[in-house]
Amino acid sequence: MSDPGQANAAVKGHRIAVLGAGFAGLRAATTLCAAGHRVEVFEARTAVGGRARGEWCAGHWMDGSWPVLGGRDEALARFARDLSDRGVGDLLSPLRPVQTALLRAGEARPVDGLPLRGAARIPGPPIWERPKLLRWSRLMARYAPLLDATHPERAADLDYRSLSDHASLYFGRGALEFWLAPEIQSVFGDSVDEISRVALLQHAQAQGIGAHRAAPPGLPRRPLIELAQAAAEGLEIHRATQVQRVDELAAGGYRLELLDADGTRAESGFDAVVVAVGAKEAARIARSLLTPAERDFFHTLTERPVVTLSVALEGVHAGLPQEIRLPRREDSAIASIVVEPGQSGGRAPDGRSQLVIRARDAFALRWEETASDVVAKNLLSSLELAMPGIGERVLTTHVGRASQAFFGVGHYRELANFDKVQRDRRALGRRVYYAGDYLVGPTFESATRAGQRAADAMRADFEREGATALE
């Protein structure tokens, strides 16, 4: 049921439960463990890593989610450095660079939308729109004080316009369709008429779009799940254990009701809890603790399905890995494709290649309940149209499915309200902290930041309590 912790037995800090062993939960747990607290992690599945889970097949690592990372993912890189003694120090440093391309009329044309000069050369937008790109730096300078990668709710005052409206107003429809929508669709999805412009602004700042030192995206050298597994080595983790509910005890602290894989029920008490699971699950587990405002927050959150398809291929694609983005006008079921040539000791074997497809939002919604083999067949048909002849090289496939928080217009205002409630409850002594992609963003970097944020808030509260007790 559990993995023995390496240090927990010797420390005398608070007893803390972390619910969920994805990147948010693991980052919170490792930070709190390093601070001297007794940490136990509860994971409903048998494996850690959340969306980073996948499977090895024919020598290929078949991702269960989109694998491309940002070139400036500082929190994720710091996480790996902190665990460098466990063999993952070189996992993300450096990333394997990914070139970007735009598919137009069956031809993948290399593009670089990070620098403004590169954005101006992207084919598609009419020439009279291109001078509007000069507005970019001025707008980003205006919004920069509100943009915080760890606290995106601070940009709530900007959350009244969609990405589509914002891009069309300032840069033109061509820039939206061929530059900004393709830039964001593998992260937040392609429903740009509904996505908040804050999502675009946060993404632009994180990736350095228009900055003097933009860093290109990249792939980890080996499967990202290795980082999660390295973090788990130093933690006491109860796998295949569902947390049924969390209740506050009259004498202080919290009681967890647990259910393991054998159907055995148990209870356990803790001084504090980090709830690092999806929004729906968080609302279910913590239902007895929620205020009316918190119930409203979780009720209004929207999650949407995400579908990916990993494909192992015979033969080698020359050059660096490439992310091929398909504009909506291509009318494909595919939003983006990353093509990865194999290399010795990497995610794909030397002499072969692999790719990962992210389906369009509409496809994921339509085929959400459909069998995986049917989903794979349909996406392979769309892939053949985008890359003729690729079907003859397919060795095997793996369909990835997940639910992802949707950052539509209004989401960041809801985050700001929720954050205010959390600060109020913490001031009153509640020691329950939330961490998840719905609070920061839908990437591994965002999940890592969410976990670090929850751990830092808890540590600050315990330090204040200790200082008050000494007065």
Side-chain angles (χ1 to χ4, degrees):
M1 181 175 174
S2 66
D3 297 328
Q6 293 181 346
N8 282 356
V11 299
K12 298 180 180 179
H14 293 84
R15 191 170 183 224
I16 299 168
V18 175
L19 315 186
F23 273 69
L26 291 171
R27 188 45 166 162
T30 54
T31 300
L32 293 167
C33 214
H37 298 291
R38 292 166 290 169
V39 180
E40 294 182 41
V41 181
F42 296 87
E43 169 56 46
R45 300 185 186 226
T46 57
V48 302
R51 289 182 290 111
R53 290 187 295 262
E55 63 180 18
W56 286 104
C57 187
H60 294 254
W61 175 253
M62 310 297 279
D63 288 287
S65 62
W66 186 250
V68 179
L69 306 176
R72 305 205 304 185
D73 284 357
E74 297 173 358
L76 200 58
R78 190 180 309 115
F79 194 11
R81 288 197 300 272
D82 289 348
L83 299 170
S84 59
D85 60 335
R86 300 177 195 173
V88 292
D90 62 342
L91 183 61
L92 307 177
S93 181
L95 292 174
R96 194 177 182 194
V98 172
Q99 296 177 327
T100 53
L102 193 72
L103 190 73
R104 296 285 317 276
E107 179 184 355
R109 307 180 187 184
V111 297
D112 183 1
L114 295 180
L116 294 182
R117 286 187 178 181
R121 297 190 185 100
I122 291 176
I127 193 169
W128 60 81
E129 284 187 357
R130 293 180 183 176
K132 294 181 179 180
L133 294 178
L134 297 174
R135 298 173 175 172
W136 180 268
S137 298
R138 185 174 70 253
L139 286 170
M140 289 302 295
R142 179 197 303 173
Y143 300 139
L146 299 176
L147 301 178
D148 187 315
T150 303
H151 298 273
E153 70 278 357
R154 293 176 180 172
D157 288 346
L158 302 176
D159 186 24
Y160 58 85
R161 179 172 285 158
S162 72
L163 188 163
S164 175
D165 287 345
H166 176 81
S168 298
L169 175 65
Y170 289 107
F171 310 110
R173 292 292 300 182
L176 169 68
E177 295 294 339
F178 298 103
W179 176 35
L180 295 175
E183 178 68 41
I184 206 170
Q185 63 193 15
S186 63
V187 178
F188 288 92
D190 64 290
S191 302
V192 294
D193 296 332
E194 304 171 66
I195 295 172
S196 173
R197 70 164 171 179
V198 177
L200 169 65
L201 298 174
Q202 291 284 161
H203 178 78
Q205 185 187 62
Q207 302 307 313
I209 297 176
H212 293 297
R213 294 185 178 180
L219 289 165
R221 297 283 169 173
R222 301 187 305 279
L224 191 61
I225 192 66
E226 291 186 17
L227 178 55
Q229 292 167 340
E233 289 177 13
L235 298 169
E236 183 175 354
I237 300 182
H238 303 270
R239 303 169 192 257
T241 301
Q242 297 180 21
V243 179
Q244 298 296 294
R245 61 183 293 140
V246 178
D247 294 302
E248 189 169 5
L249 299 172
Y254 302 88
R255 181 183 62 228
L256 271 59
E257 292 185 10
L258 308 170
L259 178 67
D260 69 15
D262 297 326
T264 304
R265 295 184 179 274
E267 294 183 354
S268 192
F270 295 88
D271 300 314
V273 180
V274 177
V275 183
V277 295
K280 290 181 179 179
E281 185 69 358
R284 183 190 67 79
I285 291 172
R287 57 191 179 276
S288 69
L289 307 175
L290 299 179
T291 65
E294 290 171 319
R295 289 193 189 95
D296 289 343
F297 169 75
F298 283 113
H299 180 72
T300 58
L301 287 184
T302 301
E303 291 184 340
R304 294 193 176 179
V306 176
V307 172
T308 58
L309 180 69
S310 292
V311 184
L313 299 171
E314 284 278 9
V316 181
H317 284 261
L320 293 172
Q322 187 177 49
E323 180 182 340
I324 303 172
R325 299 164 177 172
L326 284 68
R328 293 186 297 174
R329 295 185 185 184
E330 291 295 311
D331 196 27
S332 174
I334 297 173
S336 299
I337 307 165
V338 60
V339 182
E340 180 180 6
Q343 61 177 8
S344 179
R347 293 158 32 91
D350 196 17
R352 291 184 182 172
S353 300
Q354 65 187 32
L355 55 83
V356 180
I357 295 167
R358 170 150 176 165
R360 292 213 171 275
D361 294 355
F363 180 94
L365 282 167
R366 179 181 176 186
W367 299 89
E368 183 178 10
E369 304 296 333
T370 306
S372 292
D373 59 338
V374 178
V375 170
K377 182 178 180 180
N378 278 271
L379 287 175
L380 286 174
S381 296
S382 295
L383 178 64
E384 183 68 25
L385 293 175
M387 304 174 70
I390 197 83
E392 299 175 359
R393 299 169 50 200
V394 173
L395 295 172
T396 187
T397 63
H398 173 75
V399 174
R401 299 177 187 263
S403 291
Q404 178 176 295
F406 184 70
F407 288 74
V409 177
H411 184 85
Y412 294 90
R413 282 174 283 162
E414 295 291 343
L415 288 181
N417 293 335
F418 183 72
D419 182 65
K420 182 178 184 302
V421 173
Q422 299 314 295
R423 286 184 277 113
D424 290 345
R425 303 309 294 177
R426 286 169 53 198
L428 293 172
R430 190 175 78 176
R431 296 295 171 254
V432 176
Y433 304 79
Y434 295 91
D437 61 358
Y438 61 94
L439 296 173
V440 181
T443 64
F444 292 110
E445 168 75 3
S446 298
T448 304
R449 287 183 179 273
Q452 185 70 56
R453 168 179 164 172
D456 290 345
M458 184 184 292
R459 290 170 61 190
D461 288 342
F462 283 144
E463 288 172 5
R464 271 193 297 271
E465 287 178 356
T468 301
L470 292 173
E471 292 178 356

